[in-house]
Amino acid sequence: MSDFYVSLIPTDVNWQPTKEAATEVETYVRRVFPDPDGVQQDVTVEFYDRITVVDAGENIRQITCPRCDQNIPLDWYGDLVEETEGEFDSLIVTVPCCETAVALDTLTFDWPSGFARFEIAVANPARTEYTFTRDEISAVEAILGHQLRQIVAHI
Ligand SMILES: [Zn+2]
C-alpha cells in the first residue's frame, strides 16, 4: 500500500519560519486533523537544510517546459530527483527539451509539486476531508506570516 500525503510548503522556496511558529503550527494541525486511534496518520513539521523536492509522487503524469511548451520526459525528472536525492542548492537546471537553463520551480506539473526548505505534512489523514481547507491554509499562513501552497501526493 502506498502512502498518501497532504503537505503545506512556503511559496518562497528558501523561506523558513521560526521554531516557535513551527511548533504553534504543528499544534494547530494536530488539532484540525484529529486521529482518534492515534495510529493511522502522522503529522510532521520539517526544516530542510537544502531546497528539497515536495512533489506529488505518482500523481505526476505530465511536466511541461515554461520556455518551449514541450513535455519534459517523466524519466528525466525521476532520474534528476534520484541522482540529487531530491535536494538542491540551486533549482536551475538544463532541461532536455530545449537545452536551456530553467528553474525547476517554474516547470508546469499537471499536479501541484514544489520545492521547499520547510514542510508541514499529514501522512494518511484520518479525517474524511483529507486535504487542508482554504480556511485552514489561511490560518496556518497567519501563524507563519507567509503564503503557502498545498501539495497532495501518493508516494
Ligand atoms: Zn523546453
Side-chain angles (χ1 to χ4, degrees):
M1 190 189 118
S2 66
D3 279 324
F4 176 72
Y5 288 87
V6 294
S7 296
L8 296 179
I9 58 171
T11 52
D12 176 341
V13 297
N14 276 299
W15 188 85
Q16 292 183 310
T18 62
K19 288 273 191 289
E20 291 74 18
T23 302
E24 191 179 335
V25 162
E26 183 170 356
T27 303
Y28 172 79
V29 171
R30 286 184 188 282
R31 183 158 55 78
V32 296
F33 279 86
D35 182 6
D37 304 325
V39 290
Q40 182 180 337
Q41 73 180 20
D42 198 13
V43 174
T44 53
V45 173
E46 300 273 6
F47 288 81
Y48 300 119
D49 289 338
R50 301 171 71 202
I51 303 169
T52 298
V53 167
V54 182
D55 72 16
E58 294 171 10
N59 290 352
I60 299 172
R61 290 284 178 273
Q62 191 175 65
I63 304 172
T64 311
C65 174
R67 287 286 171 80
C68 70
D69 281 332
Q70 293 186 71
N71 288 342
I72 290 175
L74 294 179
D75 284 351
W76 176 85
Y77 176 75
D79 289 349
L80 177 72
V81 169
E82 195 171 301
E83 279 165 25
T84 58
E85 297 182 339
E87 295 181 14
F88 301 88
D89 292 316
S90 160
L91 292 178
I92 305 294
V93 295
T94 302
V95 287
C97 41
C98 54
E99 298 286 333
T100 54
V102 169
L104 286 171
D105 62 336
T106 66
L107 302 182
T108 305
F109 293 83
D110 65 334
W111 197 280
S113 287
F115 300 86
R117 294 187 60 218
F118 179 72
E119 176 182 12
I120 305 141
V122 182
N124 305 311
R127 71 181 199 189
T128 314
E129 171 78 61
Y130 59 86
T131 57
F132 287 91
T133 65
R134 188 60 242 172
D135 284 351
E136 288 164 355
I137 296 172
S138 297
V140 175
E141 286 175 338
I143 295 168
L144 295 179
H146 194 92
Q147 293 267 110
L148 300 167
R149 299 175 56 201
Q150 178 158 231
I151 308 292
V152 176
H154 290 97
I155 293 177

Short mmCIF file of all heavy atoms in Angstrom, two decimals, residues 53-103:
data_model
loop_
_atom_site.label_atom_id
_atom_site.label_comp_id
_atom_site.label_asym_id
_atom_site.label_seq_id
_atom_site.Cartn_x
_atom_site.Cartn_y
_atom_site.Cartn_z
N VAL A 53 12.72 18.57 -2.73
CA VAL A 53 11.53 18.27 -3.52
C VAL A 53 10.37 17.89 -2.61
O VAL A 53 10.52 17.05 -1.74
CB VAL A 53 11.80 17.08 -4.48
CG1 VAL A 53 10.50 16.55 -5.06
CG2 VAL A 53 12.75 17.48 -5.58
N VAL A 54 9.24 18.56 -2.80
CA VAL A 54 7.99 18.13 -2.17
C VAL A 54 7.03 17.95 -3.33
O VAL A 54 6.32 18.86 -3.71
CB VAL A 54 7.46 19.19 -1.18
CG1 VAL A 54 6.18 18.69 -0.51
CG2 VAL A 54 8.51 19.52 -0.12
N ASP A 55 7.10 16.78 -3.95
CA ASP A 55 6.32 16.63 -5.18
C ASP A 55 5.15 15.69 -4.99
O ASP A 55 4.92 15.15 -3.92
CB ASP A 55 7.20 16.25 -6.37
CG ASP A 55 7.72 14.82 -6.31
OD1 ASP A 55 7.18 14.01 -5.54
OD2 ASP A 55 8.67 14.53 -7.05
N ALA A 56 4.39 15.55 -6.06
CA ALA A 56 3.15 14.79 -5.98
C ALA A 56 3.37 13.30 -6.23
O ALA A 56 2.42 12.55 -6.37
CB ALA A 56 2.13 15.36 -6.97
N GLY A 57 4.63 12.87 -6.31
CA GLY A 57 4.93 11.45 -6.44
C GLY A 57 4.26 10.85 -7.67
O GLY A 57 4.38 11.36 -8.77
N GLU A 58 3.56 9.76 -7.43
CA GLU A 58 2.95 9.02 -8.53
C GLU A 58 1.80 9.77 -9.20
O GLU A 58 1.29 9.34 -10.23
CB GLU A 58 2.45 7.66 -8.03
CG GLU A 58 3.58 6.75 -7.58
CD GLU A 58 3.07 5.50 -6.88
OE1 GLU A 58 1.86 5.26 -6.90
OE2 GLU A 58 3.91 4.78 -6.30
N ASN A 59 1.36 10.87 -8.59
CA ASN A 59 0.27 11.64 -9.21
C ASN A 59 0.73 12.40 -10.45
O ASN A 59 -0.08 12.79 -11.28
CB ASN A 59 -0.32 12.65 -8.23
CG ASN A 59 -1.11 11.98 -7.11
OD1 ASN A 59 -1.33 10.78 -7.14
ND2 ASN A 59 -1.50 12.75 -6.13
N ILE A 60 2.04 12.62 -10.58
CA ILE A 60 2.55 13.41 -11.71
C ILE A 60 2.47 12.58 -12.99
O ILE A 60 3.00 11.49 -13.06
CB ILE A 60 4.01 13.87 -11.48
CG1 ILE A 60 4.10 14.75 -10.25
CG2 ILE A 60 4.54 14.61 -12.71
CD1 ILE A 60 5.55 15.06 -9.85
N ARG A 61 1.79 13.14 -13.98
CA ARG A 61 1.68 12.46 -15.27
C ARG A 61 2.28 13.29 -16.39
O ARG A 61 2.56 12.79 -17.47
CB ARG A 61 0.20 12.18 -15.60
CG ARG A 61 -0.43 11.11 -14.73
CD ARG A 61 0.00 9.71 -15.14
NE ARG A 61 -0.55 8.69 -14.28
CZ ARG A 61 0.02 8.28 -13.15
NH1 ARG A 61 1.17 8.83 -12.77
NH2 ARG A 61 -0.53 7.34 -12.41
N GLN A 62 2.43 14.59 -16.15
CA GLN A 62 2.93 15.45 -17.22
C GLN A 62 3.69 16.64 -16.63
O GLN A 62 3.24 17.26 -15.66
CB GLN A 62 1.77 15.95 -18.07
CG GLN A 62 2.23 16.62 -19.35
CD GLN A 62 1.04 17.02 -20.23
OE1 GLN A 62 0.23 17.85 -19.86
NE2 GLN A 62 0.95 16.39 -21.38
N ILE A 63 4.87 16.92 -17.21
CA ILE A 63 5.66 18.08 -16.83
C ILE A 63 5.92 18.86 -18.11
O ILE A 63 6.35 18.28 -19.11
CB ILE A 63 7.00 17.67 -16.19
CG1 ILE A 63 6.76 16.74 -14.98
CG2 ILE A 63 7.80 18.90 -15.77
CD1 ILE A 63 8.05 16.13 -14.41
N THR A 64 5.65 20.17 -18.07
CA THR A 64 5.79 20.98 -19.28
C THR A 64 6.81 22.08 -19.04
O THR A 64 6.86 22.68 -17.98
CB THR A 64 4.43 21.60 -19.66
OG1 THR A 64 3.45 20.57 -19.66
CG2 THR A 64 4.49 22.22 -21.04
N CYS A 65 7.62 22.32 -20.08
CA CYS A 65 8.67 23.34 -20.01
C CYS A 65 8.07 24.73 -20.19
O CYS A 65 7.30 24.96 -21.12
CB CYS A 65 9.70 23.06 -21.10
SG CYS A 65 10.96 24.33 -21.24
N PRO A 66 8.45 25.70 -19.32
CA PRO A 66 7.91 27.05 -19.45
C PRO A 66 8.51 27.82 -20.63
O PRO A 66 7.95 28.82 -21.07
CB PRO A 66 8.30 27.71 -18.12
CG PRO A 66 9.52 26.99 -17.70
CD PRO A 66 9.34 25.57 -18.17
N ARG A 67 9.66 27.36 -21.14
CA ARG A 67 10.32 28.06 -22.25
C ARG A 67 9.76 27.67 -23.61
O ARG A 67 9.51 28.50 -24.46
CB ARG A 67 11.82 27.74 -22.25
CG ARG A 67 12.59 28.40 -21.15
CD ARG A 67 12.76 29.90 -21.44
NE ARG A 67 13.33 30.58 -20.28
CZ ARG A 67 14.62 30.56 -19.98
NH1 ARG A 67 15.47 29.92 -20.75
NH2 ARG A 67 15.06 31.19 -18.90
N CYS A 68 9.61 26.34 -23.83
CA CYS A 68 9.25 25.88 -25.18
C CYS A 68 7.91 25.16 -25.22
O CYS A 68 7.46 24.76 -26.29
CB CYS A 68 10.35 24.96 -25.72
SG CYS A 68 10.44 23.36 -24.87
N ASP A 69 7.26 25.02 -24.07
CA ASP A 69 5.93 24.39 -24.01
C ASP A 69 5.91 22.91 -24.38
O ASP A 69 4.85 22.33 -24.58
CB ASP A 69 4.90 25.13 -24.88
CG ASP A 69 4.38 26.38 -24.18
OD1 ASP A 69 4.37 26.39 -22.93
OD2 ASP A 69 4.00 27.33 -24.89
N GLN A 70 7.09 22.30 -24.52
CA GLN A 70 7.10 20.85 -24.79
C GLN A 70 7.05 20.09 -23.47
O GLN A 70 7.38 20.61 -22.42
CB GLN A 70 8.39 20.47 -25.53
CG GLN A 70 8.50 21.03 -26.93
CD GLN A 70 9.73 20.46 -27.63
OE1 GLN A 70 9.77 19.29 -27.99
NE2 GLN A 70 10.74 21.30 -27.79
N ASN A 71 6.64 18.83 -23.58
CA ASN A 71 6.65 17.98 -22.40
C ASN A 71 8.09 17.57 -22.07
O ASN A 71 8.90 17.33 -22.97
CB ASN A 71 5.83 16.71 -22.63
CG ASN A 71 4.34 17.03 -22.65
OD1 ASN A 71 3.91 18.07 -22.18
ND2 ASN A 71 3.57 16.12 -23.21
N ILE A 72 8.35 17.50 -20.77
CA ILE A 72 9.65 17.02 -20.30
C ILE A 72 9.46 15.57 -19.89
O ILE A 72 8.50 15.25 -19.15
CB ILE A 72 10.12 17.89 -19.12
CG1 ILE A 72 10.48 19.28 -19.65
CG2 ILE A 72 11.29 17.24 -18.39
CD1 ILE A 72 10.85 20.28 -18.59
N PRO A 73 10.32 14.66 -20.37
CA PRO A 73 10.12 13.24 -20.05
C PRO A 73 10.08 13.02 -18.53
O PRO A 73 10.93 13.53 -17.80
CB PRO A 73 11.34 12.56 -20.67
CG PRO A 73 11.82 13.51 -21.72
CD PRO A 73 11.48 14.88 -21.23
N LEU A 74 9.11 12.23 -18.08
CA LEU A 74 9.00 11.93 -16.65
C LEU A 74 10.26 11.22 -16.16
O LEU A 74 10.67 11.39 -15.02
CB LEU A 74 7.77 11.07 -16.38
CG LEU A 74 6.40 11.75 -16.64
CD1 LEU A 74 5.27 10.77 -16.35
CD2 LEU A 74 6.23 13.01 -15.83
N ASP A 75 10.87 10.41 -17.03
CA ASP A 75 12.09 9.69 -16.67
C ASP A 75 13.24 10.66 -16.36
O ASP A 75 14.03 10.43 -15.46
CB ASP A 75 12.55 8.77 -17.82
CG ASP A 75 11.69 7.52 -17.90
OD1 ASP A 75 10.88 7.31 -16.97
OD2 ASP A 75 11.83 6.78 -18.88
N TRP A 76 13.31 11.73 -17.15
CA TRP A 76 14.37 12.73 -16.93
C TRP A 76 14.20 13.34 -15.53
O TRP A 76 15.16 13.45 -14.77
CB TRP A 76 14.31 13.82 -18.00
CG TRP A 76 15.29 14.92 -17.77
CD1 TRP A 76 16.60 14.95 -18.15
CD2 TRP A 76 15.06 16.15 -17.05
NE1 TRP A 76 17.20 16.12 -17.71
CE2 TRP A 76 16.26 16.87 -17.03
CE3 TRP A 76 13.94 16.70 -16.43
CZ2 TRP A 76 16.39 18.12 -16.42
CZ3 TRP A 76 14.06 17.94 -15.82
CH2 TRP A 76 15.28 18.64 -15.82
N TYR A 77 12.98 13.70 -15.20
CA TYR A 77 12.71 14.28 -13.88
C TYR A 77 12.97 13.25 -12.77
O TYR A 77 13.59 13.56 -11.76
CB TYR A 77 11.27 14.79 -13.83
CG TYR A 77 10.88 15.33 -12.48
CD1 TYR A 77 11.33 16.56 -12.04
CD2 TYR A 77 10.06 14.58 -11.63
CE1 TYR A 77 10.99 17.05 -10.79
CE2 TYR A 77 9.71 15.06 -10.37
CZ TYR A 77 10.18 16.29 -9.95
OH TYR A 77 9.84 16.75 -8.71
N GLY A 78 12.50 12.03 -13.00
CA GLY A 78 12.69 10.97 -12.00
C GLY A 78 14.16 10.70 -11.74
O GLY A 78 14.60 10.55 -10.59
N ASP A 79 14.96 10.67 -12.83
CA ASP A 79 16.41 10.44 -12.68
C ASP A 79 17.07 11.59 -11.93
O ASP A 79 17.96 11.38 -11.10
CB ASP A 79 17.08 10.30 -14.07
CG ASP A 79 16.70 8.97 -14.74
OD1 ASP A 79 16.11 8.11 -14.06
OD2 ASP A 79 16.98 8.84 -15.95
N LEU A 80 16.63 12.83 -12.24
CA LEU A 80 17.20 14.01 -11.58
C LEU A 80 16.95 13.94 -10.06
O LEU A 80 17.86 14.18 -9.26
CB LEU A 80 16.57 15.27 -12.16
CG LEU A 80 16.99 16.59 -11.52
CD1 LEU A 80 18.43 16.93 -11.92
CD2 LEU A 80 16.06 17.72 -11.92
N VAL A 81 15.73 13.62 -9.69
CA VAL A 81 15.38 13.55 -8.27
C VAL A 81 16.16 12.42 -7.60
O VAL A 81 16.62 12.55 -6.46
CB VAL A 81 13.85 13.37 -8.08
CG1 VAL A 81 13.50 13.04 -6.64
CG2 VAL A 81 13.13 14.65 -8.53
N GLU A 82 16.34 11.30 -8.32
CA GLU A 82 17.07 10.18 -7.75
C GLU A 82 18.55 10.53 -7.55
O GLU A 82 19.12 10.28 -6.49
CB GLU A 82 16.93 8.96 -8.67
CG GLU A 82 17.33 7.66 -8.00
CD GLU A 82 16.96 6.46 -8.87
OE1 GLU A 82 15.76 6.30 -9.16
OE2 GLU A 82 17.88 5.72 -9.26
N GLU A 83 19.16 11.14 -8.59
CA GLU A 83 20.60 11.48 -8.53
C GLU A 83 20.88 12.49 -7.42
O GLU A 83 21.92 12.43 -6.76
CB GLU A 83 21.05 12.12 -9.85
CG GLU A 83 21.36 11.13 -10.94
CD GLU A 83 21.44 11.81 -12.30
OE1 GLU A 83 21.72 13.03 -12.34
OE2 GLU A 83 21.19 11.13 -13.31
N THR A 84 19.99 13.46 -7.25
CA THR A 84 20.21 14.54 -6.28
C THR A 84 19.63 14.18 -4.91
O THR A 84 19.75 14.96 -3.97
CB THR A 84 19.53 15.84 -6.74
OG1 THR A 84 18.13 15.57 -6.92
CG2 THR A 84 20.12 16.35 -8.04
N GLU A 85 18.97 13.03 -4.83
CA GLU A 85 18.21 12.65 -3.64
C GLU A 85 17.19 13.72 -3.28
O GLU A 85 16.80 13.88 -2.12
CB GLU A 85 19.14 12.33 -2.47
CG GLU A 85 20.05 11.14 -2.79
CD GLU A 85 20.97 10.76 -1.63
OE1 GLU A 85 21.21 11.61 -0.76
OE2 GLU A 85 21.45 9.61 -1.64
N GLY A 86 16.76 14.46 -4.31
CA GLY A 86 15.71 15.46 -4.11
C GLY A 86 16.15 16.70 -3.38
O GLY A 86 15.31 17.46 -2.89
N GLU A 87 17.48 16.91 -3.28
CA GLU A 87 17.98 18.09 -2.55
C GLU A 87 18.81 18.95 -3.50
O GLU A 87 19.62 18.44 -4.27
CB GLU A 87 18.86 17.64 -1.38
CG GLU A 87 18.10 16.88 -0.33
CD GLU A 87 19.01 16.47 0.83
OE1 GLU A 87 20.13 17.01 0.93
OE2 GLU A 87 18.57 15.62 1.62
N PHE A 88 18.61 20.26 -3.39
CA PHE A 88 19.24 21.19 -4.32
C PHE A 88 19.77 22.42 -3.60
O PHE A 88 19.15 22.90 -2.65
CB PHE A 88 18.23 21.66 -5.37
CG PHE A 88 17.62 20.55 -6.18
CD1 PHE A 88 16.46 19.91 -5.73
CD2 PHE A 88 18.18 20.13 -7.37
CE1 PHE A 88 15.89 18.87 -6.46
CE2 PHE A 88 17.61 19.11 -8.11
CZ PHE A 88 16.47 18.47 -7.65
N ASP A 89 20.92 22.96 -4.09
CA ASP A 89 21.37 24.27 -3.64
C ASP A 89 20.81 25.34 -4.58
O ASP A 89 20.59 26.47 -4.19
CB ASP A 89 22.90 24.34 -3.64
CG ASP A 89 23.48 23.42 -2.56
OD1 ASP A 89 22.95 23.42 -1.44
OD2 ASP A 89 24.44 22.70 -2.86
N SER A 90 20.63 24.95 -5.84
CA SER A 90 20.04 25.85 -6.83
C SER A 90 19.04 25.04 -7.63
O SER A 90 19.24 23.85 -7.90
CB SER A 90 21.13 26.36 -7.78
OG SER A 90 20.54 26.84 -8.97
N LEU A 91 17.96 25.70 -8.02
CA LEU A 91 16.92 24.98 -8.79
C LEU A 91 17.13 25.13 -10.30
O LEU A 91 16.34 24.65 -11.09
CB LEU A 91 15.53 25.50 -8.40
CG LEU A 91 15.08 25.17 -6.98
CD1 LEU A 91 13.72 25.78 -6.69
CD2 LEU A 91 15.03 23.66 -6.76
N ILE A 92 18.24 25.80 -10.70
CA ILE A 92 18.49 26.00 -12.13
C ILE A 92 19.05 24.71 -12.74
O ILE A 92 20.07 24.19 -12.29
CB ILE A 92 19.48 27.15 -12.38
CG1 ILE A 92 18.99 28.44 -11.72
CG2 ILE A 92 19.72 27.34 -13.88
CD1 ILE A 92 17.73 29.03 -12.29
N VAL A 93 18.36 24.20 -13.74
CA VAL A 93 18.82 23.00 -14.45
C VAL A 93 18.72 23.25 -15.95
O VAL A 93 18.00 24.14 -16.39
CB VAL A 93 17.96 21.76 -14.11
CG1 VAL A 93 18.12 21.37 -12.64
CG2 VAL A 93 16.50 21.98 -14.46
N THR A 94 19.46 22.44 -16.73
CA THR A 94 19.32 22.49 -18.18
C THR A 94 18.30 21.44 -18.58
O THR A 94 18.49 20.25 -18.36
CB THR A 94 20.67 22.23 -18.88
OG1 THR A 94 21.60 23.21 -18.43
CG2 THR A 94 20.53 22.31 -20.39
N VAL A 95 17.18 21.89 -19.12
CA VAL A 95 16.10 20.96 -19.47
C VAL A 95 16.39 20.30 -20.81
O VAL A 95 17.02 20.90 -21.69
CB VAL A 95 14.73 21.68 -19.49
CG1 VAL A 95 14.28 21.98 -18.06
CG2 VAL A 95 14.77 22.94 -20.33
N PRO A 96 15.94 19.05 -20.97
CA PRO A 96 16.29 18.29 -22.18
C PRO A 96 15.54 18.73 -23.43
O PRO A 96 16.04 18.56 -24.55
CB PRO A 96 15.91 16.84 -21.81
CG PRO A 96 14.85 16.99 -20.77
CD PRO A 96 15.18 18.25 -20.01
N CYS A 97 14.38 19.32 -23.27
CA CYS A 97 13.52 19.66 -24.42
C CYS A 97 14.15 20.72 -25.31
O CYS A 97 14.20 20.59 -26.52
CB CYS A 97 12.16 20.10 -23.92
SG CYS A 97 12.25 21.16 -22.47
N CYS A 98 14.63 21.82 -24.69
CA CYS A 98 15.17 22.93 -25.48
C CYS A 98 16.58 23.31 -25.04
O CYS A 98 17.12 24.32 -25.50
CB CYS A 98 14.24 24.14 -25.41
SG CYS A 98 13.86 24.64 -23.71
N GLU A 99 17.19 22.46 -24.14
CA GLU A 99 18.58 22.66 -23.72
C GLU A 99 18.82 24.06 -23.17
O GLU A 99 19.89 24.64 -23.38
CB GLU A 99 19.54 22.38 -24.90
CG GLU A 99 19.49 20.95 -25.42
CD GLU A 99 20.17 19.94 -24.47
OE1 GLU A 99 21.07 20.35 -23.73
OE2 GLU A 99 19.77 18.77 -24.49
N THR A 100 17.84 24.63 -22.46
CA THR A 100 18.07 25.93 -21.84
C THR A 100 18.03 25.78 -20.32
O THR A 100 17.54 24.78 -19.79
CB THR A 100 17.02 26.97 -22.27
OG1 THR A 100 15.72 26.45 -22.00
CG2 THR A 100 17.14 27.32 -23.74
N ALA A 101 18.54 26.80 -19.63
CA ALA A 101 18.56 26.79 -18.17
C ALA A 101 17.22 27.30 -17.65
O ALA A 101 16.78 28.40 -18.00
CB ALA A 101 19.70 27.67 -17.66
N VAL A 102 16.60 26.48 -16.84
CA VAL A 102 15.26 26.78 -16.33
C VAL A 102 15.25 26.44 -14.84
O VAL A 102 15.89 25.49 -14.41
CB VAL A 102 14.21 25.92 -17.09
CG1 VAL A 102 12.86 25.98 -16.43
CG2 VAL A 102 14.11 26.35 -18.55
N ALA A 103 14.52 27.23 -14.04
CA ALA A 103 14.38 26.90 -12.62
C ALA A 103 13.31 25.81 -12.46
O ALA A 103 12.22 25.92 -13.04
CB ALA A 103 13.98 28.14 -11.83
#
